[in-house]
Amino acid sequence: MKNSSVHSILEILSTKGHEQYGTEAVSQLEHALQCATLAKTSNATPELITASLLHDFGHLVHNLGEDAAERGIDDRHEYRALNYLKTIFSDAVTEPIRMHVNAKRYLCAANKDYWDSLSPASKTSLELQGGIFTEAEATEFINQPYAEDAVKLRMWDDLAKVKNLKTPGLEYFVPVIKKLIINS
Ligand code: FE
């Protein structure tokens, strides 16, 4: 049953994933694959590679449209698929996903150059997502379990927007993901 849940996730990624990633130069699927590939080449754990692949899955399971942020709507995508993903994966996968938006708010507070490096779309969504953390919020954030993983994921997320970059396909990551299914 959990196996079939993973199949439906991959099915959604490979079909709906061809939608554009907001105003970025890549599709949702390309973005997910680039992010997971960056995690893999950085020798991340299988859990963090899987989190990187699925971090924006919540974008694919709502009907707010791919341009929600430009229309002033925060789609709260980091939470949308979370309860579902929690039935399949451990916290090591789901917590970095849950925290990847707040990791951007953290990085803006921790590193003054980080905000400059964000894409225009990411700067727009930052405001909708609550803006830069205060120092106290940043400290509270980074002291949570898996916060460091969420920050790593976030940095790969920001880089995973390269037009026409060749990466391994979804099938490459299937065995990595399947090994992580809990209570299967
Ligand atoms: Fe993303």
Side-chain angles (χ1 to χ4, degrees), residues 132-151:
I132 300 171
F133 272 157
T134 62
E135 214 179 300
E137 287 169 333
T139 305
E140 192 184 335
F141 171 82
I142 203 64
N143 286 321
Q144 296 172 94
Y146 302 108
E148 304 271 0
D149 280 350
V151 168

Side-chain angles (χ1 to χ4, degrees), residues 21 31 55-56 77 100 157:
Y21 180 41
H31 176 61
H55 76 277
D56 277 341
H77 69 279
H100 84 274
D157 184 7

